[in-house]
Amino acid sequence: MKDHIFNIHDVILLMTAAECILLAIFQAVLPAKNKASSILLTIFLLSVAVSATCVLMLWNNNVRFFALFDHTLLPYFLTSSLLLKGAALYLYVRAITQESFAIDSKKLGHLIPVAIGILWLVIFKIDTHSLVWFRDSANPLPNKWAVDILWGAIKIVPLAYVIAAVWKVRKYVTQLENQYSHFSPTEPGWLSVLTYGFLFSWSLTLLVHIIAEFADPSISDTFGITDNYVGFILINALFTYSVVYAHQLLATKPEVIKEEKTDEKVTSQAIAKVQTGMEIQKLYLKHNLNIEEFSKRIELPIKDVSAVINKHYGTNFFEFMNKYRVEEAKRLLLDEKCAEMTVLDILLQAGFNSKSAFHRFFNRLVGVSPTEFRKQAQKA
């Protein structure tokens, strides 16, 4: 009765699998504004649950289902889930950041690595015994090289996808700056932290695989156990993010605004229209203005507006608008007629709708806080 079926590290894997299943069920019953992102998050959670269960069964002889699964089917479930989780995470990031995202036939191409992995298992007849003992020098496997390649693939493919997800988040922030005059940095900031977290975790997974080839098994075990704990934390963080923050993200339109590297010159007429919108119409005073609405107001195509701001002014839409707003705020702070106005009143009248964004921009562009700027002006 003193024998333990699980150690604490096995319990973490078991908890990860159980929690992922519960969160997937919870995600499925939640009212979803974005069905595509909900489906992809559910697929990701289930793939992590399956992979955690399979890893637990692979290394713990006390955990068994039935003979056919234990000896033959386990590699198929493990391989499929590990190759699927990276694609699911990457597509989830796209789904919550792109307005035009849809799950269509083109997305099925992301199942190709899974299909290749399954075919590889069939061709080389890789079973559970092969996955566990492929590094056993005393009893070398005849298909060891095939198992080596399989293990490498199921470590590298998810890592490649999470690198793509990190790049996508960075591109998303750039697109926000090109399309919106105001956005909260909190939601994309947390998304960036999460993707970098998975990048760290899955890089650690690959490192464990490499270390196991050359170092003492205890070292790779330590890294592997650490990876399990990190994964458990990240799963909880990702689900919390999906419930609390994901629905607040502003969607971008990558098909409308493209970073085209052309030698096309910006016309003086286009520049004049943008200047008119800013200096005559004072469109920067409008809260939550985006580039699509701005282009309609000045009757200039979005791509031309973007070209003027990016090439002629050398900045993005976000910075361009808020520089004008800061100048307006400075004017109001210096105006004796506005002496009774609070800083909050001034930031709202200048076109800002966020106190934190106003203070961040004002301090960066002016060098002092709005309150200090007003005090210095009054002393002069």
Side-chain angles (χ1 to χ4, degrees):
M1 294 299 292
K2 293 182 179 180
D3 292 336
H4 298 285
I5 296 176
F6 302 115
N7 59 38
I8 185 62
H9 314 307
D10 291 339
V11 170
I12 290 296
L13 279 174
L14 192 61
M15 287 175 61
T16 300
E19 187 171 21
C20 281
I21 292 172
L22 290 174
L23 294 179
I25 294 171
F26 187 50
Q27 181 68 29
V29 299
L30 279 176
K33 182 180 178 181
N34 187 332
K35 290 185 178 180
S37 66
S38 179
I39 291 170
L40 290 165
L41 181 58
T42 300
I43 292 172
F44 175 75
L45 290 170
L46 290 176
S47 66
V48 173
V50 171
S51 62
T53 303
C54 289
V55 168
L56 179 61
M57 294 183 66
L58 201 61
W59 303 111
N60 190 324
N61 294 326
N62 295 309
V63 183
R64 290 292 176 261
F65 283 168
F66 52 90
L68 179 62
F69 184 90
D70 298 340
H71 298 104
T72 306
L73 297 181
L74 188 149
Y76 291 87
F77 279 84
L78 178 64
T79 299
S80 299
S81 60
L82 289 175
L83 292 175
L84 185 60
K85 69 176 183 179
L89 179 64
Y90 168 69
L91 292 174
Y92 171 72
V93 169
R94 287 185 56 186
I96 62 176
T97 57
Q98 288 182 5
E99 187 176 87
S100 59
F101 184 89
I103 300 177
D104 50 32
S105 57
K106 292 181 180 179
K107 306 300 186 297
L108 295 178
H110 293 284
L111 294 176
I112 292 176
V114 178
I116 293 174
I118 292 173
L119 190 62
W120 193 267
L121 290 168
V122 172
I123 292 173
F124 296 101
K125 300 178 181 179
I126 299 173
D127 57 13
T128 303
H129 178 270
S130 301
L131 291 181
V132 175
W133 299 108
F134 77 106
R135 287 199 179 97
D136 186 1
S137 57
N139 300 288
L141 295 169
N143 59 348
K144 181 182 183 301
W145 66 272
V147 181
D148 272 328
I149 291 175
L150 177 67
W151 271 115
I154 61 180
K155 305 296 182 181
I156 293 172
V157 170
L159 183 59
Y161 268 111
V162 77
I163 290 172
V166 168
W167 174 82
K168 177 60 188 172
V169 174
R170 294 185 65 177
K171 185 179 179 183
Y172 167 67
V173 173
T174 300
Q175 290 170 338
L176 284 177
E177 293 173 344
N178 282 325
Q179 297 180 31
Y180 293 93
S181 64
H182 172 77
F183 64 88
S184 169
T186 303
E187 293 80 21
W190 273 111
L191 183 59
S192 180
V193 169
L194 275 172
T195 51
Y196 273 108
F198 280 107
L199 175 61
F200 168 76
S201 177
W202 296 352
S203 297
L204 188 59
T205 301
L206 179 60
L207 181 62
V208 170
H209 178 71
I210 296 171
I211 289 175
E213 284 281 357
F214 308 103
D216 187 272
S218 61
I219 298 176
S220 60
D221 286 346
T222 301
F223 278 97
I225 289 166
T226 302
D227 184 34
N228 292 338
Y229 282 85
V230 172
F232 179 72
I233 294 169
L234 286 171
I235 289 298
N236 284 275
L238 178 64
F239 184 77
T240 302
Y241 179 85
S242 70
V243 174
V244 178
Y245 293 116
H247 65 282
Q248 299 178 34
L249 285 170
L250 294 171
T252 57
K253 299 181 179 181
E255 77 286 354
V256 176
I257 303 173
K258 297 180 180 178
E259 298 176 7
E260 299 176 351
K261 295 181 180 179
T262 64
D263 295 328
E264 201 174 300
K265 292 183 179 179
V266 178
T267 65
S268 57
Q269 184 181 9
I271 295 171
K273 284 192 173 185
V274 171
Q275 288 176 336
T276 298
M278 299 300 286
E279 296 168 11
I280 307 300
Q281 296 176 256
K282 296 185 182 296
L283 295 177
Y284 57 88
L285 298 178
K286 181 175 176 58
H287 295 174
N288 296 322
L289 182 73
N290 59 40
I291 196 168
E292 188 175 4
E293 185 176 352
F294 181 78
S295 69
K296 289 178 181 177
R297 293 290 190 95
I298 64 173
E299 298 180 346
L300 188 67
I302 293 178
K303 63 182 182 64
D304 292 338
V305 173
S306 183
V308 170
I309 294 173
N310 296 156
K311 296 179 181 179
H312 181 71
Y313 289 100
T315 186
N316 56 56
F317 185 73
F318 180 69
E319 294 279 342
F320 184 63
M321 286 291 155
N322 286 304
K323 282 180 181 178
Y324 272 88
R325 288 170 176 168
V326 167
E327 290 302 316
E328 177 66 13
K330 286 169 61 179
R331 186 188 68 79
L332 294 172
L333 288 167
L334 294 173
D335 193 340
E336 294 180 0
K337 296 178 182 178
C338 301
E340 299 301 318
M341 291 178 66
T342 65
V343 171
L344 179 61
D345 293 331
I346 286 175
L347 75 87
L348 292 173
Q349 190 163 324
F352 286 96
N353 64 355
S354 165
K355 191 174 181 179
S356 60
F358 171 64
H359 281 275
R360 186 172 66 252
F361 263 99
F362 199 97
N363 275 279
R364 179 160 64 84
L365 296 177
V366 182
V368 295
S369 68
T371 303
E372 185 63 28
F373 178 80
R374 176 180 260 178
K375 286 180 180 179
Q376 290 178 1
Q378 289 172 346
K379 289 179 181 179

